Amino acid sequence: MGLGLLVDAGIVILLIAISGFVFGGPEGARGEASAVMGWASTLGITLLSPAMGLWMWRRGRRDLALAMVWLPPLAFMLGLSLGL
């Protein structure tokens, strides 16, 4: 669980680091609309999935919690392998 949370935090840092390329510079969301929406949804899923996983962990659903925490890293690796 802890390792999954660290990997999720690394993905969030990576998404924030590349946001200037998506948004067309530091001045705001002036990039292509589909790229901005894709970035925003990816960031939202990467933040909400571990939060919901921690909630499930506290409720005793450890199997579901692990799946929720590892969902963003697995999706990221699948996207890299498919070249998306």
Side-chain angles (χ1 to χ4, degrees):
M1 184 76 171
L3 182 63
L5 291 172
L6 285 174
V7 173
D8 286 332
I11 293 173
V12 168
I13 291 169
L14 177 69
L15 285 170
I16 292 171
I18 66 166
S19 66
F21 297 110
V22 174
F23 295 144
E27 62 270 356
R30 299 179 194 265
E32 185 177 330
S34 62
V36 172
M37 291 304 293
W39 181 88
S41 64
T42 303
L43 183 66
I45 290 169
T46 306
L47 289 173
L48 288 177
S49 183
M52 294 298 293
L54 286 172
W55 185 58
M56 285 293 149
W57 186 271
R58 290 184 180 186
R59 296 180 61 86
R61 296 290 315 263
R62 298 186 190 278
D63 53 346
L64 185 59
L66 287 173
M68 291 175 114
V69 167
W70 282 101
L71 175 69
L74 291 175
F76 183 74
M77 294 302 293
L78 180 67
L80 284 178
S81 68
L82 294 176
L84 299 176

